[in-house]
Structures are given as C-alpha cells and as structure tokens.
Amino acid sequence: MTIFPDIKPYDSGRLATGDGHELYWERCGKPGGIPLVWLHGGPGSGCTAAHRRFFDPERFDVLLFDQRGCGRSTPKFSLENNSTAHLISDIERLREMCGVERWIVAGASWGSTLALAYAEAHPEAVSGVLVTAVFLSTDEELAWWHCYPGAPSLFPDAFETFLHGGAAPEASGLPAFFEHSLGEMQAEIGRGMEMLKSLEDPTAALESLRRSLLYRWTEYEERISWLNTTPDGVRESLAARGAEFVACHSLIEAHYFANRCFLEADQLVREAGRLDAIPVEIVQSRYDVVCPPQAAMRLKAACPHARLSLVTHNGHAMTDAVHPAFQTAASRLADPA
C-alpha cells in the first residue's frame, strides 16, 4: 500500500481574504465526494503535487491551499495579517466557498497544529480530524528542537552549521533568539531576494543563499527530519525545491515561532474537550526527531476517544512507511460506522 498515483486538480483558483492576501487553492479527487481539507506544514512550506496523492481520489473531494505568504499565494513573504487566527478564518472562507457543511480536517507537523486549532475553534464545521507528526506548539517542543539536550544532541554537526559560530540558545532565551532570527531573516529578504529573482540559474540562486540564516534555518530542519540523512542529500533536496521555497519557509516559520504560533500556552491540549464529539485519528512516527511522539501521546490523553497509531519509521515526513496507517485512518473517518 503506497501513496496514490499522481493526479491533477479538477479545479483551482484564488481567493481574496479582504485584508491584503490572496490565497491559491485547488481541488482534486472526486467532485462531490467526502469533503476534506489538507493543511500543509511549515508554517510557510506551501502545498505540493505529492500532497494530492495522500487521499483516495475515488472517495475524497480534497481542497489544498497555500497558506498566507507562501507557495502560490500572494504577496510572497508577507508577515502582515499572518497569524493562526487569520489562517483559521481562511479555512472557514474556503469551506464556505466549497459549499460544504462539514469536512475532515487533515494536516501534518504545523498542519496538525492548525488542524487542531481550527477544529477547536469550529467543531460544528468538522466531521473528523486526521493529524500526523503532531506538533502542539508548546515551549517544550520548541526547546527540544533548538536547545541542548534535545535534537541538537542527536545532530550536533547539523546544529553547529545552523548556529554558524553563534551561541546555542537556552530554553529561557528562546523568545529573544526567535525575535533576533526573524529580524536577521527580514534583513536578508530585503537585501537578497530581488537579486535571487534576477538569477536565471536556480542552482546559482540557491548557492548564493546558502550562507544566510534563511538557508541555514530550513537546512537544519531538513537535516534532523531523517535519521539517515546526509548533508549532500539535504543540499539536493533543497535545490529541488528552490531558493524561494527555502526563504519563504524559514521566514514565516521564524515569524510564527517568535510569536509562539499565536497560541496561548498549551491551548490545544487545554481546549481538546471541544473535540469530544468529533472522530480523531492520530498517526505518529516513533522516531520523528522534529516532532517526537510525546506530543501525540499528550493529544491522545487529552482526547481519550482518539485512535493513536504509532508507526516505526525513521523520519518526520510522510512516506510509504507512514502512509498505510494514514490511509487506514482516513478510511475510518470516511466510514465512521
């Protein structure tokens, strides 16, 4: 059982939010099928053609969209009016645009955060929740990623490259670290993106970005996303996605982290009771270093009715190793009886 064959959208368009943003959206699968919205990670990663392949196209009517400031949405790199509350409102606008009363909300990594935040804000609009690589946006999770003795202890070489000679942050100093990182990235965007756009060779554009924090931020995340990754493999992966993706992902992610993802402390767990009447499926890799399984266990404890599937897999991303459990979970939500 693998991900489904490549498909093309049957419809696509742009939705103006009314506050300066315009969202790219697309629909794929079965028109009039089981409605489902897919929420991509990052924040700032955007949707890809691979995301269309996560759900059975003979059963699901899937809406995908690029969140504010990234992917094909405009304006690119915009942090203005770009918060979790804004994204939740966008999902509601898209649901109304599609004319569906309730839909399954699915997401991975940051997408799991947004899926939970949306479902807790609008439980009446949600028929099911499907999350993988769970991220609850807590200080502890951010400290695991950026501070010793967390992920940096497993990937000390990657972390040293990320720091670029700077000092490792302490957990208590993470807010200031994120604020400083965001400021540095904004300066790099201002200095460099016009130059990058002028370079016809995408490889040259990415190489010119490699010494920047914009590059090192996403490079570090990619390095720790797989237990068997190599620097060359990461370089090839980022080259395939391009300089614009790298800059978008790093800048918007730093913006959200500097603002604690615009959520109150432990908000998603504290308000999990709002999901009591909604089927919840959790699929989690045991060896996800970016989003370790403790968050999935906490979510399961807060939602006793949820089903948790732990998968023995060596990374953070959705792959053939994770997809069978993910597909089975999606099928259960499609046939709740």
Side-chain angles (χ1 to χ4, degrees):
M1 188 183 297
T2 62
I3 63 176
F4 294 96
D6 188 27
I7 58 172
K8 302 295 183 184
Y10 71 78
D11 195 11
S12 64
R14 309 187 71 82
L15 178 68
T17 64
D19 58 3
H21 289 264
E22 191 172 88
L23 307 177
Y24 170 83
W25 60 265
E26 61 185 40
R27 299 179 73 174
C28 62
K30 181 181 179 180
I34 299 165
L36 182 149
V37 58
W38 168 256
L39 304 176
H40 67 69
S45 293
C47 285
T48 71
H51 295 157
R52 303 172 192 153
R53 304 174 62 191
F54 290 169
F55 304 97
D56 186 347
E58 299 299 321
R59 303 185 72 189
F60 293 98
D61 186 351
V62 182
L63 181 132
L64 307 91
F65 74 102
D66 292 330
Q67 295 162 27
R68 296 186 179 212
C70 70
R72 291 148 291 187
S73 293
T74 55
K76 195 83 71 179
F77 309 118
S78 177
L79 306 182
E80 185 176 357
N81 296 324
N82 194 339
S83 70
T84 302
H86 287 105
L87 299 183
I88 289 172
S89 295
D90 292 343
I91 300 169
E92 269 297 273
R93 284 192 189 91
L94 290 163
R95 182 184 65 82
E96 293 168 359
M97 180 196 76
C98 292
V100 300
E101 183 177 353
R102 301 168 72 217
W103 55 2
I104 296 170
V105 184
S109 193
W110 158 253
S112 75
T113 317
L114 185 55
L116 293 167
Y118 170 78
E120 290 176 1
H122 295 282
E124 74 288 346
V126 177
S127 59
V129 174
L130 172 55
V131 291
T132 184
V134 174
F135 175 57
L136 299 176
S137 184
T138 63
D139 290 346
E140 291 78 13
E141 288 166 291
L142 292 174
W144 160 266
W145 193 9
H146 295 92
C147 304
Y148 289 105
S153 295
L154 296 175
F155 294 87
D157 52 341
F159 194 57
E160 285 185 9
T161 299
F162 167 64
L163 291 175
H164 199 57
E170 299 289 337
S172 60
L174 270 182
F177 175 79
F178 291 142
E179 285 285 355
H180 176 79
S181 297
L182 177 60
E184 185 174 336
M185 289 184 198
Q186 287 175 305
E188 290 173 346
I189 288 282
R191 289 194 304 264
M193 290 314 296
E194 287 304 316
M195 178 273 293
L196 290 176
K197 291 177 183 177
S198 70
L199 294 175
E200 294 183 4
D201 181 357
T203 302
L206 195 66
E207 284 300 311
S208 68
L209 195 68
R210 282 193 62 207
R211 289 178 292 277
S212 70
L213 180 57
L214 283 167
Y215 185 92
R216 289 184 282 112
W217 183 282
T218 294
E219 178 189 42
Y220 173 61
E221 181 174 338
E222 190 78 5
R223 285 283 303 274
I224 69 174
S225 290
W226 304 94
L227 298 185
N228 60 350
T229 192
T230 66
D232 287 344
V234 168
R235 192 172 296 117
E236 291 173 4
S237 174
L238 297 185
R241 284 181 277 182
E244 194 171 83
F245 162 81
V246 172
C248 254
H249 174 268
S250 296
L251 179 72
I252 294 175
E253 193 166 85
H255 166 63
Y256 272 75
F257 288 178
N259 289 281
R260 287 190 166 91
C261 293
F262 301 93
L263 295 169
E264 297 176 3
D266 224 15
Q267 176 180 329
L268 299 180
V269 168
R270 193 175 64 252
E271 297 186 0
R274 296 177 63 82
L275 308 178
D276 285 349
I278 302 172
V280 177
E281 293 278 349
I282 308 165
V283 178
Q284 179 67 41
S285 167
R286 290 184 181 275
Y287 304 117
D288 186 339
V289 175
V290 177
C291 296
Q294 182 182 10
M297 296 295 291
R298 291 193 69 224
L299 178 60
K300 165 63 178 171
C303 296
H305 70 290
R307 187 190 296 262
L308 171 61
S309 302
L310 281 170
V311 179
T312 301
H313 168 56
N314 75 343
H316 176 62
M318 179 83 75
T319 67
D320 283 355
V322 175
H323 189 71
F326 190 82
Q327 182 178 337
T328 299
S331 295
R332 283 194 292 262
L333 291 178
D335 299 310

